[in-house]
mmCIF file of all heavy atoms in Angstrom:
data_model
loop_
_atom_site.group_PDB
_atom_site.id
_atom_site.type_symbol
_atom_site.label_atom_id
_atom_site.label_comp_id
_atom_site.label_asym_id
_atom_site.label_seq_id
_atom_site.Cartn_x
_atom_site.Cartn_y
_atom_site.Cartn_z
ATOM 1 N N GLU A 567 119.681 68.726 166.645
ATOM 2 C CA GLU A 567 119.862 68.103 167.953
ATOM 3 C C GLU A 567 118.529 67.967 168.685
ATOM 4 O O GLU A 567 118.317 67.026 169.422
ATOM 5 C CB GLU A 567 120.814 68.943 168.823
ATOM 6 C CG GLU A 567 122.239 69.004 168.303
ATOM 7 C CD GLU A 567 122.979 67.698 168.446
ATOM 8 O OE1 GLU A 567 122.693 66.959 169.385
ATOM 9 O OE2 GLU A 567 123.842 67.419 167.601
ATOM 10 N N SER A 569 115.701 67.413 167.423
ATOM 11 C CA SER A 569 114.748 66.569 166.716
ATOM 12 C C SER A 569 114.179 65.483 167.626
ATOM 13 O O SER A 569 114.922 64.817 168.334
ATOM 14 C CB SER A 569 115.441 65.916 165.519
ATOM 15 O OG SER A 569 114.680 64.828 165.070
ATOM 16 N N PRO A 570 112.875 65.302 167.633
ATOM 17 C CA PRO A 570 112.270 64.293 168.507
ATOM 18 C C PRO A 570 112.468 62.857 168.010
ATOM 19 O O PRO A 570 112.172 61.924 168.719
ATOM 20 C CB PRO A 570 110.790 64.662 168.486
ATOM 21 C CG PRO A 570 110.598 65.364 167.187
ATOM 22 C CD PRO A 570 111.896 66.044 166.875
ATOM 23 N N GLU A 571 112.966 62.699 166.807
ATOM 24 C CA GLU A 571 113.136 61.352 166.268
ATOM 25 C C GLU A 571 114.217 60.602 167.049
ATOM 26 O O GLU A 571 115.173 61.190 167.512
ATOM 27 C CB GLU A 571 113.597 61.412 164.811
ATOM 28 C CG GLU A 571 112.940 62.499 164.031
ATOM 29 C CD GLU A 571 112.032 61.948 162.961
ATOM 30 O OE1 GLU A 571 111.988 60.721 162.798
ATOM 31 O OE2 GLU A 571 111.378 62.748 162.307
ATOM 32 N N LEU A 572 114.034 59.313 167.135
ATOM 33 C CA LEU A 572 115.031 58.507 167.822
ATOM 34 C C LEU A 572 116.271 58.338 166.950
ATOM 35 O O LEU A 572 117.337 58.068 167.449
ATOM 36 C CB LEU A 572 114.442 57.139 168.185
ATOM 37 C CG LEU A 572 115.310 56.264 169.084
ATOM 38 C CD1 LEU A 572 115.642 56.990 170.366
ATOM 39 C CD2 LEU A 572 114.625 54.955 169.383
ATOM 40 N N VAL A 573 116.145 58.516 165.638
ATOM 41 C CA VAL A 573 117.260 58.266 164.732
ATOM 42 C C VAL A 573 117.575 59.506 163.896
ATOM 43 O O VAL A 573 117.379 59.512 162.690
ATOM 44 C CB VAL A 573 116.955 57.072 163.792
ATOM 45 C CG1 VAL A 573 118.231 56.588 163.115
ATOM 46 C CG2 VAL A 573 116.320 55.923 164.556
ATOM 47 N N PRO A 574 118.038 60.591 164.546
ATOM 48 C CA PRO A 574 118.343 61.807 163.794
ATOM 49 C C PRO A 574 119.603 61.650 162.959
ATOM 50 O O PRO A 574 119.791 62.320 161.986
ATOM 51 C CB PRO A 574 118.530 62.870 164.871
ATOM 52 C CG PRO A 574 118.876 62.121 166.107
ATOM 53 C CD PRO A 574 118.281 60.748 165.974
ATOM 54 N N ARG A 575 120.500 60.776 163.323
ATOM 55 C CA ARG A 575 121.667 60.444 162.512
ATOM 56 C C ARG A 575 121.970 58.984 162.787
ATOM 57 O O ARG A 575 121.342 58.377 163.649
ATOM 58 C CB ARG A 575 122.850 61.352 162.845
ATOM 59 C CG ARG A 575 123.183 61.342 164.310
ATOM 60 C CD ARG A 575 124.151 62.455 164.701
ATOM 61 N NE ARG A 575 123.943 62.758 166.106
ATOM 62 C CZ ARG A 575 124.917 62.993 166.973
ATOM 63 N NH1 ARG A 575 126.156 62.997 166.560
ATOM 64 N NH2 ARG A 575 124.653 63.245 168.220
ATOM 65 N N CYS A 577 122.494 55.646 163.984
ATOM 66 C CA CYS A 577 122.749 54.957 165.233
ATOM 67 C C CYS A 577 122.132 53.586 165.100
ATOM 68 O O CYS A 577 121.272 53.357 164.256
ATOM 69 C CB CYS A 577 122.192 55.717 166.436
ATOM 70 S SG CYS A 577 120.404 55.827 166.531
ATOM 71 N N SER A 578 122.595 52.651 165.902
ATOM 72 C CA SER A 578 122.135 51.291 165.717
ATOM 73 C C SER A 578 121.397 50.782 166.947
ATOM 74 O O SER A 578 121.864 50.926 168.076
ATOM 75 C CB SER A 578 123.329 50.406 165.330
ATOM 76 O OG SER A 578 123.735 49.602 166.382
ATOM 77 N N CYS A 582 120.824 47.569 173.007
ATOM 78 C CA CYS A 582 121.064 48.360 174.214
ATOM 79 C C CYS A 582 119.720 48.799 174.787
ATOM 80 O O CYS A 582 118.710 48.836 174.078
ATOM 81 C CB CYS A 582 121.946 49.570 173.912
ATOM 82 S SG CYS A 582 121.262 50.766 172.764
ATOM 83 N N LYS A 583 119.727 49.102 176.072
ATOM 84 C CA LYS A 583 118.506 49.552 176.736
ATOM 85 C C LYS A 583 118.834 50.747 177.613
ATOM 86 O O LYS A 583 119.940 50.853 178.141
ATOM 87 C CB LYS A 583 117.925 48.452 177.620
ATOM 88 C CG LYS A 583 117.265 47.331 176.855
ATOM 89 C CD LYS A 583 116.270 46.597 177.755
ATOM 90 C CE LYS A 583 115.554 45.475 177.028
ATOM 91 N NZ LYS A 583 116.430 44.299 176.802
ATOM 92 N N CYS A 584 117.832 51.622 177.766
ATOM 93 C CA CYS A 584 117.970 52.765 178.653
ATOM 94 C C CYS A 584 117.012 52.567 179.819
ATOM 95 O O CYS A 584 116.003 51.867 179.698
ATOM 96 C CB CYS A 584 117.597 54.055 177.936
ATOM 97 S SG CYS A 584 118.658 54.444 176.540
ATOM 98 N N VAL A 585 117.337 53.196 180.932
ATOM 99 C CA VAL A 585 116.421 53.219 182.066
ATOM 100 C C VAL A 585 115.122 53.891 181.596
ATOM 101 O O VAL A 585 115.157 54.875 180.868
ATOM 102 C CB VAL A 585 117.067 54.006 183.224
ATOM 103 C CG1 VAL A 585 116.083 54.252 184.341
ATOM 104 C CG2 VAL A 585 118.291 53.272 183.732
ATOM 105 N N LYS A 586 114.000 53.330 181.992
ATOM 106 C CA LYS A 586 112.711 53.917 181.602
ATOM 107 C C LYS A 586 112.472 55.240 182.309
ATOM 108 O O LYS A 586 112.913 55.431 183.439
ATOM 109 C CB LYS A 586 111.573 52.964 181.958
ATOM 110 C CG LYS A 586 111.361 51.937 180.877
ATOM 111 C CD LYS A 586 110.094 51.124 181.120
ATOM 112 C CE LYS A 586 110.051 49.992 180.112
ATOM 113 N NZ LYS A 586 109.310 48.834 180.564
ATOM 114 N N GLY A 587 111.753 56.126 181.619
ATOM 115 C CA GLY A 587 111.356 57.391 182.231
ATOM 116 C C GLY A 587 112.363 58.509 182.065
ATOM 117 O O GLY A 587 112.174 59.586 182.606
ATOM 118 N N LEU A 588 113.427 58.266 181.274
ATOM 119 C CA LEU A 588 114.401 59.327 181.035
ATOM 120 C C LEU A 588 113.843 60.320 180.023
ATOM 121 O O LEU A 588 113.018 59.961 179.192
ATOM 122 C CB LEU A 588 115.691 58.736 180.454
ATOM 123 C CG LEU A 588 116.515 57.824 181.342
ATOM 124 C CD1 LEU A 588 117.723 57.324 180.566
ATOM 125 C CD2 LEU A 588 116.958 58.568 182.593
ATOM 126 N N ALA A 589 114.321 61.550 180.100
ATOM 127 C CA ALA A 589 114.009 62.516 179.051
ATOM 128 C C ALA A 589 114.699 62.036 177.784
ATOM 129 O O ALA A 589 115.818 61.528 177.837
ATOM 130 C CB ALA A 589 114.536 63.882 179.440
ATOM 131 N N GLN A 590 114.027 62.162 176.649
ATOM 132 C CA GLN A 590 114.652 61.745 175.400
ATOM 133 C C GLN A 590 115.871 62.617 175.111
ATOM 134 O O GLN A 590 115.817 63.835 175.248
ATOM 135 C CB GLN A 590 113.653 61.871 174.245
ATOM 136 C CG GLN A 590 114.357 61.793 172.891
ATOM 137 C CD GLN A 590 113.668 60.905 171.890
ATOM 138 O OE1 GLN A 590 112.505 60.572 172.046
ATOM 139 N NE2 GLN A 590 114.387 60.524 170.865
ATOM 140 N N GLY A 591 116.949 61.963 174.724
ATOM 141 C CA GLY A 591 118.143 62.721 174.385
ATOM 142 C C GLY A 591 119.372 61.844 174.355
ATOM 143 O O GLY A 591 119.263 60.620 174.409
ATOM 144 N N VAL A 592 120.512 62.496 174.265
ATOM 145 C CA VAL A 592 121.774 61.775 174.159
ATOM 146 C C VAL A 592 122.371 61.547 175.547
ATOM 147 O O VAL A 592 122.437 62.459 176.369
ATOM 148 C CB VAL A 592 122.773 62.549 173.266
ATOM 149 C CG1 VAL A 592 124.111 61.831 173.206
ATOM 150 C CG2 VAL A 592 122.195 62.723 171.865
ATOM 151 N N TYR A 593 122.770 60.316 175.786
ATOM 152 C CA TYR A 593 123.408 59.930 177.044
ATOM 153 C C TYR A 593 124.671 59.157 176.698
ATOM 154 O O TYR A 593 124.623 58.231 175.894
ATOM 155 C CB TYR A 593 122.484 59.009 177.861
ATOM 156 C CG TYR A 593 121.223 59.676 178.359
ATOM 157 C CD1 TYR A 593 120.127 59.834 177.526
ATOM 158 C CD2 TYR A 593 121.136 60.141 179.660
ATOM 159 C CE1 TYR A 593 118.966 60.459 177.974
ATOM 160 C CE2 TYR A 593 119.977 60.763 180.126
ATOM 161 C CZ TYR A 593 118.903 60.921 179.274
ATOM 162 O OH TYR A 593 117.758 61.542 179.728
ATOM 163 N N CYS A 594 125.766 59.519 177.312
ATOM 164 C CA CYS A 594 126.989 58.743 177.145
ATOM 165 C C CYS A 594 126.919 57.504 178.037
ATOM 166 O O CYS A 594 126.140 57.467 179.002
ATOM 167 C CB CYS A 594 128.199 59.587 177.529
ATOM 168 S SG CYS A 594 128.631 60.818 176.286
ATOM 169 N N GLY A 595 127.746 56.522 177.725
ATOM 170 C CA GLY A 595 127.759 55.285 178.504
ATOM 171 C C GLY A 595 128.142 55.479 179.961
ATOM 172 O O GLY A 595 127.847 54.619 180.786
ATOM 173 N N ASN A 596 128.789 56.591 180.277
ATOM 174 C CA ASN A 596 129.165 56.837 181.670
ATOM 175 C C ASN A 596 128.247 57.834 182.374
ATOM 176 O O ASN A 596 128.629 58.420 183.371
ATOM 177 C CB ASN A 596 130.625 57.302 181.764
ATOM 178 C CG ASN A 596 130.872 58.636 181.092
ATOM 179 O OD1 ASN A 596 130.289 58.926 180.055
ATOM 180 N ND2 ASN A 596 131.729 59.444 181.659
ATOM 181 N N CYS A 597 127.021 57.997 181.856
ATOM 182 C CA CYS A 597 126.061 58.887 182.528
ATOM 183 C C CYS A 597 125.322 58.123 183.625
ATOM 184 O O CYS A 597 124.858 56.997 183.404
ATOM 185 C CB CYS A 597 125.025 59.417 181.534
ATOM 186 S SG CYS A 597 125.702 60.537 180.311
ATOM 187 N N VAL A 598 125.212 58.769 184.757
ATOM 188 C CA VAL A 598 124.486 58.202 185.888
ATOM 189 C C VAL A 598 123.288 59.091 186.177
ATOM 190 O O VAL A 598 123.400 60.304 186.205
ATOM 191 C CB VAL A 598 125.426 58.094 187.109
ATOM 192 C CG1 VAL A 598 124.651 57.979 188.394
ATOM 193 C CG2 VAL A 598 126.356 56.910 186.948
ATOM 194 N N VAL A 599 122.131 58.461 186.320
ATOM 195 C CA VAL A 599 120.898 59.215 186.574
ATOM 196 C C VAL A 599 120.374 58.851 187.961
ATOM 197 O O VAL A 599 119.632 57.897 188.116
ATOM 198 C CB VAL A 599 119.836 58.934 185.478
ATOM 199 C CG1 VAL A 599 120.230 59.619 184.186
ATOM 200 C CG2 VAL A 599 119.656 57.452 185.222
ATOM 201 N N TYR A 604 123.248 53.722 186.059
ATOM 202 C CA TYR A 604 123.619 54.180 184.723
ATOM 203 C C TYR A 604 122.369 54.363 183.861
ATOM 204 O O TYR A 604 121.424 53.561 183.949
ATOM 205 C CB TYR A 604 124.540 53.162 184.053
ATOM 206 C CG TYR A 604 125.958 53.195 184.581
ATOM 207 C CD1 TYR A 604 126.450 52.163 185.363
ATOM 208 C CD2 TYR A 604 126.799 54.266 184.272
ATOM 209 C CE1 TYR A 604 127.750 52.192 185.840
ATOM 210 C CE2 TYR A 604 128.100 54.311 184.748
ATOM 211 C CZ TYR A 604 128.571 53.274 185.533
ATOM 212 O OH TYR A 604 129.853 53.307 186.011
ATOM 213 N N ALA A 605 122.373 55.402 183.027
ATOM 214 C CA ALA A 605 121.245 55.643 182.110
ATOM 215 C C ALA A 605 121.076 54.456 181.164
ATOM 216 O O ALA A 605 119.967 54.074 180.818
ATOM 217 C CB ALA A 605 121.478 56.935 181.324
ATOM 218 N N ILE A 606 122.212 53.866 180.757
ATOM 219 C CA ILE A 606 122.183 52.724 179.840
ATOM 220 C C ILE A 606 122.200 51.451 180.682
ATOM 221 O O ILE A 606 123.120 51.234 181.467
ATOM 222 C CB ILE A 606 123.409 52.737 178.898
ATOM 223 C CG1 ILE A 606 123.596 54.115 178.257
ATOM 224 C CG2 ILE A 606 123.302 51.643 177.835
ATOM 225 C CD1 ILE A 606 122.399 54.634 177.488
ATOM 226 N N SER A 607 121.171 50.623 180.513
ATOM 227 C CA SER A 607 121.053 49.447 181.384
ATOM 228 C C SER A 607 121.440 48.145 180.702
ATOM 229 O O SER A 607 121.551 47.113 181.360
ATOM 230 C CB SER A 607 119.625 49.353 181.931
ATOM 231 O OG SER A 607 118.710 49.230 180.874
ATOM 232 N N ALA A 608 121.661 48.163 179.398
ATOM 233 C CA ALA A 608 122.123 46.955 178.710
ATOM 234 C C ALA A 608 123.050 47.354 177.568
ATOM 235 O O ALA A 608 122.829 48.386 176.930
ATOM 236 C CB ALA A 608 120.943 46.159 178.174
ATOM 237 N N ARG A 610 126.007 48.501 177.677
ATOM 238 C CA ARG A 610 126.607 49.795 177.960
ATOM 239 C C ARG A 610 128.109 49.778 177.697
ATOM 240 O O ARG A 610 128.809 48.896 178.181
ATOM 241 C CB ARG A 610 126.355 50.176 179.421
ATOM 242 C CG ARG A 610 126.768 51.595 179.789
ATOM 243 C CD ARG A 610 126.485 51.881 181.252
ATOM 244 N NE ARG A 610 127.319 51.089 182.140
ATOM 245 C CZ ARG A 610 128.569 51.404 182.457
ATOM 246 N NH1 ARG A 610 129.115 52.507 181.980
ATOM 247 N NH2 ARG A 610 129.278 50.638 183.252
ATOM 248 N N HIS A 614 130.686 55.219 174.466
ATOM 249 C CA HIS A 614 129.719 55.339 173.378
ATOM 250 C C HIS A 614 128.647 56.349 173.760
ATOM 251 O O HIS A 614 128.336 56.530 174.937
ATOM 252 C CB HIS A 614 129.025 53.999 173.108
ATOM 253 C CG HIS A 614 129.860 53.042 172.314
ATOM 254 N ND1 HIS A 614 129.326 51.958 171.642
ATOM 255 C CD2 HIS A 614 131.196 53.017 172.072
ATOM 256 C CE1 HIS A 614 130.313 51.309 171.035
ATOM 257 N NE2 HIS A 614 131.442 51.919 171.283
ATOM 258 N N ALA A 615 128.056 56.976 172.726
ATOM 259 C CA ALA A 615 126.915 57.871 172.928
ATOM 260 C C ALA A 615 125.650 57.116 172.523
ATOM 261 O O ALA A 615 125.666 56.322 171.570
ATOM 262 C CB ALA A 615 127.072 59.122 172.071
ATOM 263 N N TYR A 616 124.598 57.331 173.261
ATOM 264 C CA TYR A 616 123.337 56.634 173.018
ATOM 265 C C TYR A 616 122.198 57.642 172.951
ATOM 266 O O TYR A 616 122.248 58.687 173.596
ATOM 267 C CB TYR A 616 123.025 55.663 174.161
ATOM 268 C CG TYR A 616 124.055 54.579 174.356
ATOM 269 C CD1 TYR A 616 125.188 54.811 175.122
ATOM 270 C CD2 TYR A 616 123.890 53.329 173.780
ATOM 271 C CE1 TYR A 616 126.151 53.831 175.307
ATOM 272 C CE2 TYR A 616 124.849 52.334 173.961
ATOM 273 C CZ TYR A 616 125.964 52.592 174.721
ATOM 274 O OH TYR A 616 126.913 51.606 174.894
ATOM 275 N N GLU A 617 121.180 57.288 172.197
ATOM 276 C CA GLU A 617 119.941 58.058 172.214
ATOM 277 C C GLU A 617 118.941 57.239 173.023
ATOM 278 O O GLU A 617 118.721 56.066 172.732
ATOM 279 C CB GLU A 617 119.427 58.252 170.771
ATOM 280 C CG GLU A 617 118.158 59.056 170.668
ATOM 281 C CD GLU A 617 118.417 60.570 170.622
ATOM 282 O OE1 GLU A 617 119.550 60.973 170.324
ATOM 283 O OE2 GLU A 617 117.467 61.314 170.897
ATOM 284 N N CYS A 618 118.371 57.857 174.040
ATOM 285 C CA CYS A 618 117.371 57.177 174.869
ATOM 286 C C CYS A 618 116.036 57.866 174.673
ATOM 287 O O CYS A 618 115.982 59.076 174.480
ATOM 288 C CB CYS A 618 117.726 57.299 176.351
ATOM 289 S SG CYS A 618 119.237 56.446 176.814
ATOM 290 N N ASN A 619 114.966 57.116 174.749
ATOM 291 C CA ASN A 619 113.664 57.764 174.814
ATOM 292 C C ASN A 619 112.981 57.394 176.123
ATOM 293 O O ASN A 619 113.480 56.571 176.893
ATOM 294 C CB ASN A 619 112.809 57.495 173.567
ATOM 295 C CG ASN A 619 112.261 56.089 173.500
ATOM 296 O OD1 ASN A 619 112.298 55.334 174.464
ATOM 297 N ND2 ASN A 619 111.724 55.738 172.334
ATOM 298 N N SER A 620 111.841 58.010 176.344
ATOM 299 C CA SER A 620 111.216 57.917 177.666
ATOM 300 C C SER A 620 110.726 56.516 178.003
ATOM 301 O O SER A 620 110.520 56.194 179.166
ATOM 302 C CB SER A 620 110.066 58.905 177.744
ATOM 303 O OG SER A 620 109.157 58.640 176.701
ATOM 304 N N SER A 621 110.566 55.658 176.972
ATOM 305 C CA SER A 621 110.079 54.316 177.283
ATOM 306 C C SER A 621 111.208 53.288 177.339
ATOM 307 O O SER A 621 110.959 52.088 177.245
ATOM 308 C CB SER A 621 109.001 53.905 176.284
ATOM 309 O OG SER A 621 109.467 54.054 174.977
ATOM 310 N N GLY A 622 112.455 53.740 177.450
ATOM 311 C CA GLY A 622 113.577 52.816 177.593
ATOM 312 C C GLY A 622 114.192 52.425 176.261
ATOM 313 O O GLY A 622 115.126 51.636 176.217
ATOM 314 N N GLY A 623 113.655 52.970 175.157
ATOM 315 C CA GLY A 623 114.225 52.709 173.839
ATOM 316 C C GLY A 623 115.647 53.232 173.774
ATOM 317 O O GLY A 623 115.947 54.264 174.376
ATOM 318 N N CYS A 624 116.508 52.530 173.079
ATOM 319 C CA CYS A 624 117.930 52.876 173.056
ATOM 320 C C CYS A 624 118.515 52.644 171.685
ATOM 321 O O CYS A 624 118.109 51.720 170.980
ATOM 322 C CB CYS A 624 118.670 52.004 174.071
ATOM 323 S SG CYS A 624 120.455 52.245 174.070
ATOM 324 N N CYS A 625 119.436 53.483 171.322
ATOM 325 C CA CYS A 625 120.083 53.396 170.031
ATOM 326 C C CYS A 625 121.531 53.832 170.246
ATOM 327 O O CYS A 625 121.773 54.816 170.950
ATOM 328 C CB CYS A 625 119.315 54.319 169.101
ATOM 329 S SG CYS A 625 119.801 54.250 167.418
ATOM 330 N N ASP A 626 122.484 53.101 169.688
ATOM 331 C CA ASP A 626 123.907 53.303 169.954
ATOM 332 C C ASP A 626 124.566 54.068 168.807
ATOM 333 O O ASP A 626 124.592 53.592 167.676
ATOM 334 C CB ASP A 626 124.555 51.919 170.129
ATOM 335 C CG ASP A 626 126.001 52.002 170.599
ATOM 336 O OD1 ASP A 626 126.593 53.096 170.559
ATOM 337 O OD2 ASP A 626 126.529 50.951 171.006
ATOM 338 N N TYR A 627 125.098 55.250 169.089
ATOM 339 C CA TYR A 627 125.811 56.043 168.075
ATOM 340 C C TYR A 627 127.253 55.589 167.915
ATOM 341 O O TYR A 627 127.952 56.071 167.041
ATOM 342 C CB TYR A 627 125.841 57.519 168.470
ATOM 343 C CG TYR A 627 124.521 58.246 168.379
ATOM 344 C CD1 TYR A 627 123.979 58.890 169.488
ATOM 345 C CD2 TYR A 627 123.827 58.313 167.175
ATOM 346 C CE1 TYR A 627 122.784 59.569 169.411
ATOM 347 C CE2 TYR A 627 122.625 58.997 167.084
ATOM 348 C CZ TYR A 627 122.108 59.616 168.204
ATOM 349 O OH TYR A 627 120.933 60.288 168.123
ATOM 350 N N ARG A 639 128.317 63.972 177.518
ATOM 351 C CA ARG A 639 126.947 64.477 177.373
ATOM 352 C C ARG A 639 125.982 63.575 178.128
ATOM 353 O O ARG A 639 125.961 62.364 177.909
ATOM 354 C CB ARG A 639 126.529 64.446 175.899
ATOM 355 C CG ARG A 639 126.934 65.648 175.100
ATOM 356 C CD ARG A 639 126.789 65.351 173.631
ATOM 357 N NE ARG A 639 127.803 64.367 173.219
ATOM 358 C CZ ARG A 639 127.854 63.823 172.026
ATOM 359 N NH1 ARG A 639 126.941 64.115 171.133
ATOM 360 N NH2 ARG A 639 128.787 62.949 171.726
ATOM 361 N N CYS A 640 125.190 64.169 178.965
ATOM 362 C CA CYS A 640 124.143 63.442 179.671
ATOM 363 C C CYS A 640 122.910 64.326 179.614
ATOM 364 O O CYS A 640 122.917 65.404 180.215
ATOM 365 C CB CYS A 640 124.502 63.204 181.133
ATOM 366 S SG CYS A 640 126.005 62.242 181.375
ATOM 367 N N LYS A 641 121.899 63.893 178.889
ATOM 368 C CA LYS A 641 120.681 64.703 178.794
ATOM 369 C C LYS A 641 120.144 64.980 180.198
ATOM 370 O O LYS A 641 119.716 66.089 180.507
ATOM 371 C CB LYS A 641 119.661 63.961 177.935
ATOM 372 C CG LYS A 641 118.316 64.605 177.840
ATOM 373 C CD LYS A 641 118.338 65.876 177.019
ATOM 374 C CE LYS A 641 116.961 66.527 177.031
ATOM 375 N NZ LYS A 641 116.971 67.773 176.283
ATOM 376 N N ASN A 642 120.147 63.972 181.017
ATOM 377 C CA ASN A 642 119.854 64.118 182.446
ATOM 378 C C ASN A 642 120.982 63.450 183.222
ATOM 379 O O ASN A 642 121.729 62.662 182.663
ATOM 380 C CB ASN A 642 118.543 63.421 182.826
ATOM 381 C CG ASN A 642 117.313 64.261 182.515
ATOM 382 O OD1 ASN A 642 116.208 63.761 182.601
ATOM 383 N ND2 ASN A 642 117.485 65.501 182.144
#
Side-chain angles (χ1 to χ4, degrees):
E567 294 289 329
S569 163
E571 321 247 356
L572 188 57
V573 195
R575 54 192 154 139
C577 67
S578 105
C582 63
K583 286 202 179 74
C584 297
V585 171
K586 275 189 188 153
L588 293 179
Q590 165 135 17
V592 177
Y593 294 81
C594 285
N596 64 323
C597 292
V598 160
V599 287
Y604 284 109
I606 311 304
S607 60
R610 188 180 67 82
H614 281 199
Y616 299 85
E617 181 86 19
C618 294
N619 73 13
S620 57
S621 53
C624 176
C625 187
D626 188 347
Y627 289 123
R639 275 166 291 174
C640 300
K641 175 71 183 178
N642 278 170

